[in-house]
Amino acid sequence: MSIAESPIFGHMSKSMANFTVYTLNGKNIVRSKAFMPKDPKSKKQLAVRSRIAALGKQYRMLSPILCLGFPENSDNKTPQNMFVAANFSTAFELLDEQPVLQYPLMLISKGSLPELSVTDAALDAQGITISYDATALLPEMTGFDEIIAFAMMKNGALHIVKQILGFVTTGSVFLKLKDKEDEEVACCYVFVRSGDGKKSSNSVFVEVNT
């Protein structure tokens, strides 16, 4: 940075080439920018970039469900911020020294409500039937809390269903699939969202059995 006091140029502003010029307290301040900014590519930095890129791709694919799964926003963070924070350290396994996203480790919702317990999941030509136990939500359960089930297909199609829990602690939820999709499920999850939409539980990955 340099300070220029020139009666010829007077007040200066804006940029030219790699210089940025502005006026502060009557003085012209000149800052230079590197023509070739450093772009370090250590293994650690490349691993960080790989994780961020993978989570960014998942967010773009899953944003309709992630907007439901991260309602507890006390720090004014976006669902994308919270999704990345929830998964950056825990949703990856190292394969050949490279971080690879694992769906069973990924959270599509995170919150203070207790998790559902998935007791069974079955896949057939019509869809996915998920049986659950919501006893952990007692005694705070309300009549308007809902279970949200979600599946993403390998072609990127999303299937979401919402079902009011009522005050029943056990039951099942059905995700209808289109024809010929019964063998194309990439991942499936369930979680609970409060009736007022302000709280959620951590999502539970559903292992789908044929």
Side-chain angles (χ1 to χ4, degrees):
M1 181 183 76
S2 65
I3 300 175
E5 299 184 61
S6 171
I8 298 176
F9 293 108
H11 294 306
M12 301 175 66
S13 63
K14 299 186 179 181
S15 300
M16 181 180 70
N18 69 321
F19 293 100
T20 298
V21 185
Y22 62 95
T23 301
L24 179 64
N25 297 326
K27 297 180 180 180
N28 292 325
I29 309 298
V30 183
R31 293 181 180 272
S32 65
K33 298 176 287 186
F35 280 115
M36 299 182 65
K38 293 181 179 179
D39 184 20
K41 294 183 173 65
S42 68
K43 285 186 178 181
K44 183 176 180 179
Q45 289 161 327
L46 290 175
V48 167
R49 296 179 190 181
S50 178
R51 288 173 185 246
I52 291 176
L55 291 173
K57 178 181 178 181
Q58 290 299 312
Y59 179 80
R60 290 189 293 273
M61 296 171 65
L62 305 178
S63 57
I65 191 72
L66 297 179
C67 290
L68 299 174
F70 293 89
E72 298 184 39
N73 189 14
S74 59
D75 296 328
N76 294 317
K77 296 178 181 177
T78 66
Q80 182 175 11
N81 294 149
M82 292 186 286
F83 171 67
V84 172
N87 291 287
F88 184 84
S89 299
T90 57
F92 294 83
E93 288 186 351
L94 288 178
L95 298 178
D96 296 328
E97 298 186 355
Q98 297 298 318
V100 178
L101 185 69
Q102 302 295 317
Y103 285 129
L105 301 177
M106 187 174 75
L107 291 175
I108 63 163
S109 72
K110 186 175 183 179
S112 59
L113 295 179
E115 292 181 12
L116 283 172
S117 175
V118 174
T119 56
D120 188 44
L123 171 68
D124 59 27
Q126 283 70 50
I128 304 170
T129 302
I130 304 169
S131 300
Y132 61 85
D133 185 332
T135 303
L137 291 168
L138 296 175
E140 288 81 12
M141 179 188 289
T142 74
F144 299 100
D145 293 342
E146 59 185 3
I147 180 174
I148 299 178
F150 159 79
M152 180 174 71
M153 315 310 290
K154 291 181 179 178
N155 64 4
L158 307 181
H159 298 279
I160 304 171
V161 64
K162 303 178 184 178
Q163 180 173 301
I164 298 297
L165 284 168
F167 291 102
V168 179
T169 57
T170 59
S172 63
V173 60
F174 179 70
L175 268 167
K176 182 177 176 57
L177 304 181
K178 297 179 181 179
D179 293 341
K180 299 181 181 180
E181 281 191 334
D182 56 303
E183 296 181 357
E184 298 298 324
V185 178
C187 59
C188 182
Y189 302 86
V190 293
F191 62 95
V192 176
R193 184 176 167 95
S194 63
D196 60 10
K198 295 182 179 180
K199 294 183 178 181
S200 68
S201 70
N202 287 5
S203 59
V204 177
F205 177 79
V206 178
E207 190 72 43
V208 178
N209 300 313
T210 56

